[in-house]
C-alpha cells in the first residue's frame, strides 16, 4: 500500500490537498487556499494555482 501511495497509484480523494484541519478550528491560513474536499471531521485544501498567476 505504501508503494502504491508513493508512486501516486491510488486515487486522490482530496484533489491534491496539501493541508487540512479539523472542523472545530478556523486557522488563519484557510482562506488563502482552495477547499478541495470535506469529511465529517476534516477540511482539505491546496494552493489555488489560478490565483497565484
Amino acid at each position: 500500500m505504501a508503494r502504491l501511495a508513493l508512486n501516486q497509484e491510488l486515487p486522490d480523494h482530496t484533489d491534491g490537498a496539501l493541508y487540512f484541519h479539523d472542523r472545530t478550528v478556523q486557522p488563519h491560513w484557510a482562506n488563502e487556499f482552495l477547499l478541495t474536499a470535506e469529511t465529517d471531521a476534516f477540511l482539505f485544501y491546496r494552493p489555488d494555482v489560478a490565483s497565484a498567476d
Side-chain angles (χ1 to χ4, degrees):
M1 188 62 64
R3 183 181 311 266
L4 292 174
L6 289 171
N7 291 332
Q8 298 180 349
E9 296 174 0
L10 296 175
D12 179 3
H13 299 290
T14 68
D15 191 24
L18 299 177
Y19 313 103
F20 73 98
H21 67 82
D22 189 279
R23 285 187 175 272
T24 62
V25 299
Q26 295 180 321
H28 66 89
W29 53 261
N31 291 333
E32 299 175 24
F33 298 105
L34 181 65
L35 179 66
T36 61
E38 301 181 41
T39 67
D40 290 340
F42 299 104
L43 300 175
F44 296 83
Y45 302 85
R46 66 175 164 81
D48 186 358
V49 293
S51 68
D53 295 336

